[in-house]
Protein backbone atom coordinates (compact mmCIF):
# COMPACT_ATOMS: atom_id res chain seq x y z
CA UNK A 1 0.00 0.00 0.00
CA UNK A 2 0.98 3.42 -0.78
CA UNK A 3 0.82 5.95 1.89
CA UNK A 4 0.06 9.59 1.23
CA UNK A 5 2.98 11.96 1.51
CA UNK A 6 2.92 14.11 4.60
CA UNK A 7 1.33 17.55 4.14
CA UNK A 8 3.78 20.37 3.98
CA UNK A 9 2.76 22.98 6.46
CA UNK A 10 5.45 25.49 5.52
CA UNK A 11 4.37 29.14 5.19
CA UNK A 12 3.80 30.30 1.62
CA UNK A 13 6.64 32.41 0.27
CA UNK A 14 4.39 34.63 -1.83
CA UNK A 15 0.85 35.86 -1.27
CA UNK A 16 -1.52 35.26 -4.14
CA UNK A 17 -2.79 38.51 -5.76
CA UNK A 18 -0.19 40.80 -4.15
CA UNK A 19 1.46 41.44 -7.54
CA UNK A 20 -1.81 42.67 -8.99
CA UNK A 21 -2.35 45.14 -6.14
CA UNK A 22 1.19 46.47 -6.55
CA UNK A 23 0.65 46.85 -10.28
CA UNK A 24 -2.60 48.77 -9.81
CA UNK A 25 -0.98 51.05 -7.23
CA UNK A 26 1.95 51.74 -9.58
CA UNK A 27 -0.42 52.53 -12.46
CA UNK A 28 -2.39 54.90 -10.23
CA UNK A 29 0.81 56.75 -9.27
CA UNK A 30 1.84 56.96 -12.92
CA UNK A 31 -1.56 58.35 -13.91
CA UNK A 32 -1.34 61.03 -11.19
CA UNK A 33 2.16 61.99 -12.31
CA UNK A 34 1.01 62.29 -15.94
CA UNK A 35 -1.96 64.44 -14.92
CA UNK A 36 0.37 66.73 -12.98
CA UNK A 37 2.71 67.02 -15.96
CA UNK A 38 -0.19 67.78 -18.30
CA UNK A 39 -1.43 70.50 -15.94
CA UNK A 40 2.03 72.05 -15.78
CA UNK A 41 2.27 72.05 -19.59
CA UNK A 42 -1.12 73.73 -19.86
CA UNK A 43 -0.13 76.44 -17.38
CA UNK A 44 3.14 76.99 -19.26
CA UNK A 45 1.29 77.34 -22.58
CA UNK A 46 -1.17 79.80 -21.04
CA UNK A 47 1.67 81.89 -19.60
CA UNK A 48 3.55 81.85 -22.91
CA UNK A 49 0.38 82.95 -24.76
CA UNK A 50 -0.17 85.82 -22.32
CA UNK A 51 3.45 86.89 -22.71
CA UNK A 52 3.11 86.87 -26.52
CA UNK A 53 -0.02 89.02 -26.35
CA UNK A 54 1.60 91.49 -23.93
CA UNK A 55 4.70 91.66 -26.11
CA UNK A 56 2.57 92.33 -29.20
CA UNK A 57 0.66 95.07 -27.36
CA UNK A 58 3.90 96.68 -26.20
CA UNK A 59 5.30 96.65 -29.74
CA UNK A 60 2.09 98.15 -31.13
CA UNK A 61 2.21 100.94 -28.55
CA UNK A 62 5.86 101.66 -29.32
CA UNK A 63 5.03 101.80 -33.03
CA UNK A 64 2.18 104.30 -32.64
CA UNK A 65 4.23 106.50 -30.32
CA UNK A 66 7.09 106.60 -32.82
CA UNK A 67 4.81 107.18 -35.81
CA UNK A 68 2.81 109.92 -34.09
CA UNK A 69 5.99 111.72 -33.08
CA UNK A 70 7.26 111.48 -36.67
CA UNK A 71 3.96 112.69 -38.23
CA UNK A 72 4.34 116.10 -39.86
CA UNK A 73 0.74 117.24 -39.49
CA UNK A 74 -2.65 116.25 -38.06
CA UNK A 75 -3.80 114.57 -41.31
CA UNK A 76 -0.75 112.31 -41.36
CA UNK A 77 -1.21 111.56 -37.67
CA UNK A 78 -4.85 110.59 -38.29
CA UNK A 79 -3.92 108.31 -41.20
CA UNK A 80 -1.15 106.67 -39.12
CA UNK A 81 -3.59 106.15 -36.24
CA UNK A 82 -6.25 104.56 -38.45
CA UNK A 83 -3.73 102.13 -39.96
CA UNK A 84 -2.43 101.34 -36.47
CA UNK A 85 -5.97 100.59 -35.23
CA UNK A 86 -6.36 98.09 -38.07
CA UNK A 87 -3.11 96.41 -37.01
CA UNK A 88 -4.33 96.22 -33.40
CA UNK A 89 -7.52 94.48 -34.54
CA UNK A 90 -5.55 92.07 -36.71
CA UNK A 91 -2.73 91.22 -34.28
CA UNK A 92 -4.57 91.01 -30.94
CA UNK A 93 -7.66 88.87 -30.24
CA UNK A 94 -10.64 91.27 -30.14
CA UNK A 95 -8.08 94.08 -30.09
CA UNK A 96 -8.99 97.74 -29.93
CA UNK A 97 -6.69 100.73 -30.00
CA UNK A 98 -7.20 104.43 -29.38
CA UNK A 99 -5.16 107.61 -29.11
CA UNK A 100 -6.56 110.53 -27.13
CA UNK A 101 -5.36 113.60 -25.25
CA UNK A 102 -3.81 112.66 -21.92
CA UNK A 103 -5.63 113.76 -18.78
CA UNK A 104 -2.62 113.27 -16.53
CA UNK A 105 0.01 114.83 -18.81
CA UNK A 106 -0.85 118.20 -20.40
CA UNK A 107 0.19 118.60 -24.04
CA UNK A 108 0.61 114.82 -24.33
CA UNK A 109 -1.48 111.96 -25.67
CA UNK A 110 -2.26 108.50 -24.37
CA UNK A 111 -2.32 105.48 -26.66
CA UNK A 112 -4.20 102.45 -25.33
CA UNK A 113 -4.72 98.91 -26.52
CA UNK A 114 -7.20 96.43 -25.14
CA UNK A 115 -7.67 92.77 -26.05
CA UNK A 116 -9.49 89.68 -24.89
CA UNK A 117 -7.19 86.92 -23.68
CA UNK A 118 -8.69 83.74 -25.10
CA UNK A 119 -6.86 81.36 -22.73
CA UNK A 120 -7.52 83.18 -19.47
CA UNK A 121 -10.87 84.62 -20.53
CA UNK A 122 -9.98 88.11 -19.28
CA UNK A 123 -9.64 91.50 -20.89
CA UNK A 124 -6.13 92.99 -20.76
CA UNK A 125 -5.06 96.58 -21.30
CA UNK A 126 -1.84 98.45 -21.91
CA UNK A 127 -1.09 102.11 -22.53
CA UNK A 128 1.71 104.55 -23.24
CA UNK A 129 1.92 108.33 -22.95
CA UNK A 130 3.14 110.03 -26.11
CA UNK A 131 5.00 113.21 -25.14
CA UNK A 132 4.27 116.63 -26.51
CA UNK A 133 5.40 117.30 -30.02
CA UNK A 134 3.09 114.78 -31.64
CA UNK A 135 0.23 116.21 -33.71
CA UNK A 136 -3.11 116.17 -31.83
CA UNK A 137 -5.36 113.11 -32.26
Amino acid sequence: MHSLPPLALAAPTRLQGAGLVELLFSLMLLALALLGAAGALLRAERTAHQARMQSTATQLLADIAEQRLAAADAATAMRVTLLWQLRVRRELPRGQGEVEPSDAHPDSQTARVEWRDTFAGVTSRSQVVIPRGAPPP
Side-chain angles (χ1 to χ4, degrees), residues 31-109:
L32 287 174
L34 290 174
L35 280 173
L41 285 173
L42 184 61
R43 281 189 299 279
E45 178 60 31
R46 182 178 299 145
T47 300
H49 175 75
Q50 290 170 341
R52 280 191 303 271
M53 293 297 99
Q54 185 64 50
S55 177
T56 299
T58 301
Q59 185 60 51
L60 286 165
L61 288 168
D63 289 349
I64 191 62
E66 182 180 330
Q67 292 171 3
R68 296 282 303 206
L69 286 170
D73 54 31
T76 304
M78 181 58 73
R79 187 171 49 255
V80 162
T81 301
L82 291 173
L83 292 172
W84 172 77
Q85 288 173 327
L86 290 173
R87 278 186 60 207
V88 169
R89 287 188 197 109
R90 186 178 64 240
E91 295 181 24
L92 292 172
R94 296 187 190 160
Q96 295 180 352
E98 65 181 15
V99 178
E100 60 186 18
S102 177
D103 294 332
H105 304 279
D107 299 328
S108 297
Q109 302 159 28

Side-chain angles (χ1 to χ4, degrees), residues 108-124:
S108 297
Q109 302 159 28
T110 301
R112 291 183 184 85
V113 291
E114 180 177 297
W115 68 96
R116 180 83 175 155
D117 192 325
T118 53
F119 265 117
V122 297
T123 299
S124 299

